[in-house]
Structure formats: C-alpha cells, structure tokens
Amino acid sequence: MIYTVTLNPSIDYIVRLDQLVSGITNRTTSEEYYYGGKGINVSCVLAELDLDSTAYGFVAGFTGKAIESGIRNDHIITDFIKLKHGVSRINIKIKAGQETEINGQGPHISDSELERLLQKIDRITDGDTLVLAGSIPNTMPDDVYERMMERVKDKKVRIVVDATRQLLVNSLKYKPFLIKPNRQELSEIFDTEIKTEDDIEHYAKELQKRGAQNVLISLGGEGAMLIDEFGVKHKAGVLKEKVVNTVGSGDSMVAGFVAGYMKQHDYGYALKLGSVCGNATAFQNGLATREKIDELMHKFDREFPNKI
C-alpha cells in the first residue's frame, strides 16, 4: 500500500476576474475549486494511474467533510484524523492578470491528535510506501516528519520526501527512497549557485552521500534529472504545450515516478512517467487525468525517442 500524508489539507478556491480593483465589489468571470494539499494531490494522480493509496492527515469542520468526501474513490482510502475544533482551510487564488493567493492558517492540532496520526503510521509494514509532501504547519512541531520516519525506520518501507530545505535535509539520515528538490532548493541546501548540469549532478550525489537513495531534480522548463541509487544519470525533456497551471505539477511528478517504479522497477521508465504526469497537470486546469497522461506518453515517445 502507498500512504500519503497531508498535514494541512485545503479547498483551493480559484476565482477569475478581468481585473481586481480594491475598495469595490468585484464580479468573477468564473470559479473553480479543488481539494488541495501535496499528499492529497499525489493520491489523486496515483488513482488516475489505477494505484491504490491511503490518505492520512487531519481534517476539521464542514470543509474537512467536503475534502474527505471529495477525494474518496475506488483507489483512495481516506483515513484522516477528524479534529474536534476548527475547520480545514480554504485557500483563495485570485487570477486577474496577475495571480494573488490568500492561504488559510488551518486548524490547531493538539499533541494527542498528532499522536493518533503517529499510531496510524505504526500500521505501515514491509513493502509499503510512505509519501511525506509539503511544509509543516506552524502550529505543529517542526520535527513531525522525523517522528514519522522514526516509526518505520526498522521496516522495509520506501520513504518519499518532497519538502523544502531543512525538512528535506533532516530526512536524509532515514535513507529515503526518493527525494525531489528543485534546482533552487538544491542551491539553498548547499548555499551555492548551481549553474550547470554537472553542478546539479554533483550536488545530487552529495545528497546521496548523506543518505538519499534516489534524487529527482525538477528543472522547470528544462525538464528533470534523476540520479538513481546506482549513480546513473537519467534526463527527461519537457513537452511543448501552453502551461496553464503549475499548482500540483511537482506532486504529479512524484506520483508518476512512484507509479512507474512500482509497475516496472525501472528508473528510466519511472522518470518518464513522472515527467509526463507533471506535464499533464501543467497543461490543464486541475490535476493530471488518465486521458491526458496517455496522450502525453505517446507524445513524449515521439518527441524524445532516445531519451532516458
């Protein structure tokens, strides 16, 4: 089983306007909403790839009920801790020429409620995959990911970490199966400017020396690079379509990589499917769908026949 953790889920409410004028009533031209949170995004894309996962995390109030019912399907088991107080957050994305975001704080999580989540982590067994994605809410202890990894360190569990800077660095002692920094995060970790492909490879291998098994570096418009556990470098290009959405693209890449590896146990294929899933989200509103993934897989093979 694949387990994803989303500590602070949200409903992302997207409103589009011709222009935003402060001090008056503005009228939208359209609205959309999505169930958000990096772990939830991973679960949703895994479901499009016909892989089952269990979504862990915290929900509260009427928005929490909406999130839980909204993502539950044949391939996603929702097993959230239901908080007694507060409501799960609503993040507002205003698109009016420029994009303005107003992100909610989210509910307070008590020590006892956190302990209930850790007890769920204890159920994870040999052969399972644990995906830890996103930042930690400022109402929670900043070592919560480490506490989770500590609970499974003596089991044969694939740990996937998609988090920024210190959260990622602190995970390395647990020898995660996969980490996914981008170029900027790699630069911040080593406090240096990373300019070339050789630089990227060098510092990715430094992270492997510290414990990471596989390092997947997303490079935006330049594609992605993987340094696998055997020290082999793989590269994936970017398909040429109009980018309409960047939210969830990295999470989709993680889902595709995990699915690709689990299906074929081949790192080249895992990188290709991860890249395609990231593109499939970037080229449409909302997360990658199976239809878009299949379309882009064929396109990827045509445009990059000798890649990976």
Side-chain angles (χ1 to χ4, degrees):
M1 176 61 74
I2 303 169
Y3 296 87
T4 66
V5 176
T6 307
L7 297 175
N8 201 5
S10 66
I11 295 176
D12 291 346
Y13 179 50
I14 299 172
V15 295
R16 302 178 190 275
L17 308 89
D18 293 328
Q19 61 178 336
L20 178 64
V21 181
S22 62
I24 68 167
T25 299
N26 293 266
R27 304 289 181 184
T28 67
T29 57
S30 67
E31 303 112 36
E32 305 155 26
Y33 67 89
Y34 301 98
Y35 305 110
K38 292 177 73 64
I40 285 174
N41 292 343
V42 172
S43 279
C44 289
V45 176
L46 287 171
E48 292 294 319
L49 297 167
D50 299 324
L51 280 181
D52 297 340
S53 69
T54 298
Y56 282 157
F58 301 97
V59 292
F62 74 100
T63 47
K65 290 179 181 177
I67 292 167
E68 187 165 24
S69 63
I71 69 166
R72 187 185 294 124
N73 67 32
D74 290 343
H75 289 290
I76 302 176
I77 300 167
T78 57
D79 194 7
F80 294 112
I81 303 295
K82 296 174 180 62
L83 304 175
K84 292 182 179 179
H85 305 290
V87 294
S88 294
R89 61 189 178 144
I90 298 175
N91 295 334
I92 303 171
K93 321 282 186 181
I94 303 170
K95 298 193 176 186
Q98 300 183 69
E99 183 168 320
T100 302
E101 298 189 11
I102 305 172
N103 287 349
Q105 172 73 16
H108 175 74
I109 298 163
S110 68
D111 290 343
S112 62
E113 288 163 334
L114 174 57
E115 180 57 32
R116 289 173 60 197
L117 176 60
L118 294 176
Q119 289 172 4
K120 288 182 183 294
I121 299 294
D122 288 339
R123 302 175 190 169
I124 296 173
T125 59
D126 289 354
D128 289 337
T129 299
L130 173 63
V131 180
L132 304 174
S135 61
I136 295 173
N138 59 18
T139 58
M140 298 185 69
D142 59 11
D143 67 345
V144 65
Y145 281 169
E146 293 172 73
R147 295 190 196 182
M148 293 179 191
M149 289 182 279
E150 184 70 26
R151 309 287 274 244
V152 300
K153 70 175 184 178
D154 295 325
K155 302 175 183 178
K156 295 177 181 178
V157 173
R158 295 189 193 94
I159 299 173
V160 177
V161 181
D162 182 12
T164 57
R165 201 166 183 174
Q166 203 57 41
L167 291 177
L168 186 148
V169 171
N170 291 345
S171 76
L172 297 178
K173 59 180 172 285
Y174 295 99
K175 304 186 186 309
F177 170 73
L178 178 72
I179 60 173
K180 192 194 74 63
N182 58 35
R183 187 204 303 264
Q184 180 61 33
E185 289 163 349
L186 205 58
S187 296
E188 291 173 354
I189 289 169
F190 291 100
D191 193 25
T192 187
E193 185 177 1
I194 293 177
K195 298 179 180 179
T196 68
E197 185 177 304
D198 287 343
D199 290 340
I200 296 167
E201 181 177 0
H202 170 76
Y203 286 108
K205 288 182 175 179
E206 286 298 314
L207 291 175
Q208 288 180 316
K209 290 177 183 177
R210 298 187 187 186
Q213 296 178 48
N214 299 283
V215 183
L216 173 60
I217 309 98
S218 53
L219 302 173
E222 298 175 35
M225 181 190 296
L226 169 72
I227 306 299
D228 71 25
E229 63 178 309
F230 306 110
V232 177
K233 177 174 70 176
H234 308 260
K235 292 175 61 181
V238 175
L239 295 169
K240 303 301 180 185
E241 287 192 24
K242 181 181 178 181
V243 174
V244 298
N245 167 50
T246 58
V247 176
S249 183
D251 311 324
S252 302
M253 177 179 279
V254 168
F257 185 95
V258 169
Y261 183 78
M262 292 186 70
K263 289 180 177 183
Q264 295 198 9
H265 293 276
D266 177 87
Y267 287 123
Y269 178 77
L271 176 59
K272 178 168 73 171
L273 184 56
S275 299
V276 165
C277 288
N279 284 183
T281 290
F283 297 158
Q284 63 183 17
N285 291 318
L287 294 171
T289 59
R290 182 58 179 265
E291 181 181 13
K292 190 66 175 178
I293 293 167
D294 289 344
E295 172 197 330
L296 294 184
M297 280 292 278
H298 294 305
K299 188 174 182 180
F300 192 96
D301 288 337
R302 290 195 305 271
E303 293 195 16
F304 307 111
N306 299 315
K307 284 282 186 182
I308 309 172

